Amino acid sequence: MTATMLAGRLDVAKGAFAVEEVPVPVPGPGEVLIKVRAAGVCLSDVHLIEGMLKPLYLKGDKVTLGHEVAGTVHTLGEGVTSAAVGDRVLLQAGETRDGAVHTRGVDYDGGWAEYALATASTLVPIPDELPFEQACFIPDAVSTPWAAITTTGAVRPAEAVGVWGVGGLGAHGVQLLRAVGAFPIVAVDPLPAARERALAFGADAALDPADPAFEGLLREATGGRPLSVAFDFAGVAPVREQAAAALGEHGRLVLVGLTDKPLTVTNGTRFSYLRQQILGHYGSVGQDVADLVDLVRGGRLEFSRSVSGTFPLSEAARAVEALEHKEGNPIRLVLKP
């Protein structure tokens, strides 16, 4: 008799999500079966359920969601020698197949399940002192802002930086900007609780974007300097306008938050005169994740404050609803099978 498990499945064609009972997958050559211990709930998952995001390479209409996954090695497929049963690991959020990047939980089954399949090369060992609940979201909620800061934005020490949106990505963005030496770090968010959190995570100032005195307060926070880099972690059109206006010469606007709305530059002449740049950003690469685990292992970073709540896998739909409505202003909600 085939063993079964619970899995949070999305019918992409119908836009219907449900936790269902499905067969436990069997690892093939080069694959590993992971006993999932924790899986992050990301705004991208909400966008998938809503239909704003669509899988590019999914075979069929259904997929198990979850691209932020941590657990233990349960079963080794044929030929796997790089892992052992019982190893504590997190999974990279995707992999390259036939020259294209396939995302876990989008283009193939992810980790909102009791067990998940993974190509052996996508396993990243984690130290015993790193809880699964904190490890699971490193491959996106942490690595995405890390790559946006260090690669796309190329932030240098002592550069003045703005962070618009202090949610799941932006909160980590503030923490990581502090780690790379950005100064000052100005966080911008309409929610008072988010602004308080930004200060706790290392921002030098936290402003309300709707404050009539916003421009003056921003100048005060930076000592009169324009921003060198502005990060849009919110994916909201007015945010991008405000962030772009705060940039100085050679300023970079890095778009991390996702939106399907048009991008406009109100003052194109100013933008060109100051030789500014708009840079799109998406995800990270495998080395970013490995580097972040090393920084955690070395005591340079820790993410205990990032776990805003946990839900059993059976209540995955409730977790999605809580994130969608920003109940409690969460950084990361985590499913525990």
Side-chain angles (χ1 to χ4, degrees), residues 100-317:
V101 175
H102 289 57
T103 301
R104 188 183 310 279
V106 179
D107 299 305
Y108 61 98
D109 286 342
W112 286 13
E114 295 179 82
Y115 296 90
L117 277 184
T119 304
S121 61
T122 65
L123 273 58
V124 178
I126 58 175
D128 292 341
E129 61 270 22
L130 177 58
F132 294 113
E133 293 89 341
Q134 297 173 35
C136 68
F137 54 75
I138 290 177
D140 184 14
V142 183
S143 67
T144 291
W146 175 256
I149 290 164
T150 60
T151 302
T152 303
V155 174
R156 296 183 291 275
E159 282 194 307
V161 176
V163 172
W164 270 259
V166 193
L169 294 177
H172 293 126
V174 169
Q175 186 178 2
L176 297 169
L177 283 164
R178 183 93 179 188
V180 302
F183 177 79
I185 302 165
V186 182
V188 183
D189 198 291
L191 299 176
R195 296 196 295 273
E196 291 175 11
R197 180 169 66 199
L199 294 171
F201 273 51
D204 299 289
L207 306 179
D208 182 347
D211 192 324
F214 176 83
E215 292 184 11
L217 292 171
L218 180 59
R219 284 194 300 272
E220 181 181 337
T222 64
R225 284 193 290 161
L227 297 179
S228 296
V229 193
F231 291 91
D232 169 24
F233 287 110
V236 179
V239 160
R240 297 177 169 188
E241 291 277 352
Q242 189 177 58
L247 292 171
E249 189 172 15
H250 298 292
R252 290 100 71 197
L253 172 59
V254 182
L255 309 181
V256 187
L258 301 178
T259 177
D260 55 0
K261 304 303 181 186
L263 173 64
T264 60
V265 178
T266 299
N267 192 337
T269 299
R270 178 182 183 275
F271 182 88
S272 296
Y273 178 75
L274 294 177
R275 288 158 289 173
Q276 295 172 338
Q277 295 177 289
I278 298 175
L279 304 167
H281 180 82
Y282 187 83
S284 61
V285 299
Q287 190 59 49
D288 292 318
V289 176
D291 289 346
L292 286 163
V293 171
D294 281 343
L295 289 171
V296 172
R297 183 182 287 111
R300 298 298 194 271
L301 296 170
E302 70 91 24
F303 304 112
S304 60
R305 296 174 296 177
S306 299
V307 182
S308 303
T310 60
F311 291 77
L313 176 61
S314 59
E315 296 181 16

